[in-house]
Amino acid sequence: RRAGDPAEGALAESGSLQEVRRTAAAALEEAEQALYLSRLLWAQTELETGAVDAAREWLARCLPSLGRPDRRGPEWADLWRRCGGEEK
């Protein structure tokens, strides 16, 4: 290939695009994890003030969207039980 070949530029751009996608996916994962933890903290706060229904609403917001990972772990299950809910 010659220097400055358009095909070479397209390959370099494609690699760059893949890196942007990986970075975006990592940022999305980090944001979703932070949102999950924030919702747990709100649920815990509501529960501590006796607002059980509000706590349940925050915990319900932790349910995974279609095609997204289920982040709920023992911390979610503990709060859910404390709200009088059944096992997940």
Side-chain angles (χ1 to χ4, degrees):
R1 291 194 173 139
R2 298 173 294 178
D5 185 348
E8 206 170 276
L11 285 175
E13 191 172 311
S14 172
S16 183
L17 181 59
Q18 289 175 355
E19 181 59 31
V20 167
R21 285 182 177 153
R22 278 193 293 274
T23 301
L28 177 61
E29 174 64 27
E30 188 175 325
E32 287 181 345
Q33 184 65 23
L35 181 59
Y36 167 73
L37 293 174
S38 175
R39 288 171 172 167
L40 286 182
L41 287 172
W42 275 110
Q44 182 176 358
T45 300
E46 297 287 11
L47 190 58
E48 288 171 356
T49 62
V52 176
D53 289 339
R56 283 185 187 153
E57 287 178 25
W58 283 110
L59 292 172
R61 291 178 182 153
C62 294
L63 297 173
S65 300
L66 187 61
R68 302 304 303 161
D70 187 351
R71 299 177 187 287
R72 296 173 299 161
E75 66 287 340
W76 184 93
D78 178 58
L79 287 170
W80 186 249
R81 274 191 300 276
R82 290 170 52 199
C83 287
E86 298 177 13
E87 289 291 321
K88 73 172 185 178

